């Protein structure tokens, strides 16, 4: 069975085709700048890459193009589009309703649209992408895999904010958490590496990419996570500030004469590593600059690591111990310096038994596996 995984962003679509019998990725790619004049598609099969600039107006045209390429004589991985047997979609927000992946029907699609109020930047592209995919592949099942689903096991004491309770009942204001597919994938992978069942493990999984989040995973279930109602809370990220004193928002708005949107833009796009260094949101650039003596780049890296360290400490406390800390995401996987520093600075807390593992995350693979499981039923 061949399963296509689709991840729709606001102006891009990432895709990957898997053969489930051989557990192999057959082809993958990305359509970028959908709706702009300089849109393009970048498609990979084995180690060869095809790149083509062409105007791609909308999700429908993008998915049509993807479908053509996947069955192309030279670049394709299947003979025809009928050889694609199911589709798995990454969907960011499933509210409190979706605690696991589901086959998409009209009700599910309506609810994905409904949760756009909680994820205004992320759910609308997924909704439009699913509708476009349904038109191009009308006869096959589609599955939604939610970023928030894994965190639905958090207890109330961890997901509630200390605000009036009625804000929760009226507006669903609570911690949801994100990156759930990645935290779930690396938890399962860690259990295999540690040769222990997940049900016997306490793990702290750190997804450190452009967006960063950290999760306390007890017996395979998320019991706390650093991102909150939105992905802005928690760690210092590429361009997001993470935790700040909430009173600062009003203070900054007043001092800088900013609107709600403008202060939101500042906290989401102009802060974090970029805001502190004043030069880049990219950890590779910052480590080069820090080596050359750039003080602000060094401060950004120090703050980044310090915040990760504090969260690890608090999750060890939350679970009364941990068997392993897992690092993943672009920074977690590729920057050994981060692991070295964390291991050194946490050496007392980790003792001799707690491990620190680097695990490559494969969210698309997990989306394909969830889709396969649901389709088999
Ligand atoms: P996203 O959250 O957008 O998926 P990534 O997981 O690709 O982001 O992480 C991007 C971050 O990882 C950047 O800060 C980048 O500098 C850092 N990084 C370090 N080494 C690499 C690498 N070899 N490949 C990709 N990202 C890397």
């Amino acid at each position: 069975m061949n399963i296509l995984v689709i991840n729709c962003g606001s102006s891009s679509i990432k895709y990957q085709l898997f053969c489930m019998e051989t557990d192999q990725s057959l082809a993958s790619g990305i359509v970028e700048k959908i709706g702009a004049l300089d849109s393009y598609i970048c498609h990979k099969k084995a180690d060869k890459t095809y790149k083509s600039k062409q105007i791609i107006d909308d999700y429908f045209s993008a998915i049509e193009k993807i479908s053509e390429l996947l069955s192309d004589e030279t670049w394709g991985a299947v003979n025809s589009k009928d050889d694609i047997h199911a589709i798995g979609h990454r969907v960011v927000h499933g509210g409190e309703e979706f605690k696991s992946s589901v086959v998409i029907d009209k009700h599910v699609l309506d609810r994905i649209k409904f949760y756009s109020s909680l994820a205004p930047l992320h759910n609308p592209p997924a909704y439009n992408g699913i509708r476009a995919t349904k038109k191009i592949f009308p006869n096959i099942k589609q599955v939604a895999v939610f970023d928030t689903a894994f965190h639905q096991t958090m207890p109330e004491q961890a997901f509630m904010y200390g605000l009036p309770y009625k804000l929760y009942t009226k507006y669903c204001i609570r911690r949801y958490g994100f990156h759930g597919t990645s935290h779930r994938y690396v938890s399962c992978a860690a259990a295999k590496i540690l040769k222990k069942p997940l049900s016997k493990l306490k793990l702290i999984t750190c997804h450190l990419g452009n967006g960063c989040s950290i999760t306390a995973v007890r017996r395979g279930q998320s019991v706390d996570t650093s991102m909150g109602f939105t992905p802005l809370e928690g760690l210092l990220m590429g361009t997001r500030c993470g935790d700040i004193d909430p009173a600062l928002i009003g203070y900054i708005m007043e001092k800088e004469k900013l609107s709600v949107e403008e202060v939101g833009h500042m906290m989401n796009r102009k802060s974090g590593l970029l805001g502190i260094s004043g030069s880049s949101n990219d950890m590779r650039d910052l480590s080069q600059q820090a080596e050359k003596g750039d003080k602000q780049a060094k401060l950004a890296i120090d703050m980044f690591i310090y915040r990760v360290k504090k969260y690890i400490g608090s999750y060890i406390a939350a679970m009364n111990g941990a068997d392993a800390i897992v690092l993943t995401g672009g920074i977690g996987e590729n920057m050994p310096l981060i692991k070295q520093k964390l291991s050194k600075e946490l050496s007392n807390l980790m003792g001799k038994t707690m491990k620190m593992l680097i695990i490559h995350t494969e969210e698309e693979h997990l989306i394909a596996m969830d889709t396969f499981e649901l389709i088999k039923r």
Side-chain angles (χ1 to χ4, degrees):
M1 183 178 279
N2 299 323
I3 291 178
L4 176 61
V5 173
I6 289 184
N7 180 353
C8 291
S10 57
S11 63
S12 70
I13 299 181
K14 284 191 202 157
Y15 62 94
Q16 194 162 354
L17 183 67
F18 291 90
C19 169
M20 301 315 289
E21 285 76 17
T22 57
D23 207 21
Q24 256 184 331
S25 166
L26 302 176
S28 64
I30 185 163
V31 187
E32 291 261 33
K33 302 195 179 181
I34 297 169
L37 290 173
D38 52 348
S39 41
Y40 64 90
I41 184 159
C42 180
H43 175 88
K44 282 187 188 159
K45 185 189 167 189
D47 53 358
K48 294 204 179 74
T49 304
Y50 163 90
K51 219 172 172 181
S52 154
K53 272 194 182 174
Q54 48 193 286
I55 297 179
I56 300 171
D57 285 328
D58 50 22
Y59 290 102
F60 184 84
S61 318
I63 290 163
E64 212 168 32
K65 185 76 211 158
I66 294 169
S67 151
E68 279 168 22
L69 265 175
L70 287 172
S71 49
D72 182 80
E73 227 169 81
T74 316
W75 288 100
V78 289
N79 290 331
S80 82
K81 89 180 200 206
D82 295 340
D83 295 325
I84 295 170
H85 304 112
I87 296 179
H89 291 269
R90 177 200 177 201
V91 181
V92 166
H93 222 302
E96 290 189 326
E97 186 173 344
F98 296 106
K99 299 180 193 320
S100 57
S101 306
V102 285
V103 174
I104 301 171
D105 57 14
K106 185 170 177 323
H107 168 76
V108 171
L109 194 57
D110 286 346
R111 298 308 284 171
I112 291 171
K113 189 175 183 193
F114 175 81
Y115 289 117
S116 293
S117 64
L118 298 179
L121 299 179
H122 294 102
N123 272 32
Y127 173 78
N128 291 326
I130 293 166
R131 282 178 28 139
T133 314
K134 196 85 199 145
K135 280 191 197 145
I136 295 161
F137 297 90
N139 301 320
I140 60 177
K141 284 193 177 158
Q142 305 199 44
V143 165
V145 179
F146 300 92
D147 270 25
T148 49
F150 181 59
H151 301 299
Q152 279 300 308
T153 46
M154 277 188 289
E156 229 175 349
Q157 62 174 16
F159 76 65
M160 286 300 294
Y161 289 115
L163 291 164
Y165 195 84
K166 70 166 189 270
L167 293 180
Y168 169 58
T169 45
K170 245 173 127 176
Y171 306 116
C172 306
I173 292 178
R174 51 159 286 175
R175 175 183 309 287
Y176 288 97
F178 299 88
H179 287 146
T181 317
S182 176
H183 290 291
R184 180 156 68 102
Y185 180 87
V186 297
S187 305
C188 295
K192 282 187 195 147
I193 293 169
L194 297 168
K195 297 194 172 65
K196 279 193 181 166
L198 256 182
S199 57
K200 295 234 159 74
L201 286 170
K202 291 176 187 171
L203 301 168
I204 297 170
T205 53
C206 313
H207 180 105
L208 309 177
N210 254 320
C212 301
S213 69
I214 173 162
T215 298
V217 184
R218 181 165 49 206
R219 299 188 203 106
Q221 297 196 324
S222 168
V223 292
D224 204 348
T225 192
S226 61
M227 282 180 166
F229 179 68
T230 74
L232 186 55
E233 196 181 345
L235 299 173
L236 192 81
M237 312 181 207
T239 60
R240 296 188 190 120
C241 58
D243 297 337
I244 57 166
D245 179 343
L248 273 172
I249 295 163
Y251 190 80
I252 295 169
M253 285 171 73
E254 206 179 312
K255 290 281 175 196
E256 291 275 305
K257 308 268 178 293
L258 298 181
S259 65
V260 174
E261 285 76 26
E262 285 165 336
V263 79
H265 182 77
M266 175 195 273
M267 292 188 299
N268 274 291
R269 301 269 171 193
K270 302 275 176 207
S271 302
L273 295 174
L274 175 67
I276 298 294
S277 69
S279 58
S280 175
N281 64 323
D282 193 299
M283 195 54 112
R284 283 171 289 194
D285 297 343
L286 294 181
S287 33
Q288 279 175 6
Q289 287 161 10
E291 265 174 38
K292 287 187 198 143
D294 184 325
K295 287 204 174 108
Q296 270 171 265
K298 182 175 179 311
L299 174 62
I301 299 173
D302 288 348
M303 285 172 68
F304 180 89
I305 295 176
Y306 183 66
R307 191 88 61 94
V308 174
K309 193 169 75 168
K310 279 211 300 191
Y311 263 98
I312 291 174
S314 69
Y315 287 169
I316 291 176
M319 295 192 289
N320 194 15
D323 299 291
I325 297 162
V326 181
L327 305 179
T328 191
I331 298 175
E333 292 173 31
N334 301 297
M335 314 227 54
L337 175 85
I338 305 281
K339 184 181 175 203
Q340 275 164 24
K341 282 207 170 186
L342 285 172
S343 307
K344 191 169 154 215
E345 295 183 16
L346 290 167
S347 59
N348 268 342
L349 200 58
M350 289 176 64
K352 289 202 175 16
T353 51
M354 202 187 301
K355 305 263 189 310
M356 192 174 291
L357 311 170
I358 291 179
I359 298 180
H360 171 55
T361 191
E362 290 186 50
E363 289 153 286
E364 288 83 8
H365 192 193
L366 189 52
I367 294 174
M369 292 196 302
D370 273 12
T371 305
F372 189 46
E373 284 307 314
L374 283 166
I375 295 303
K376 275 195 302 190
R377 272 181 212 169

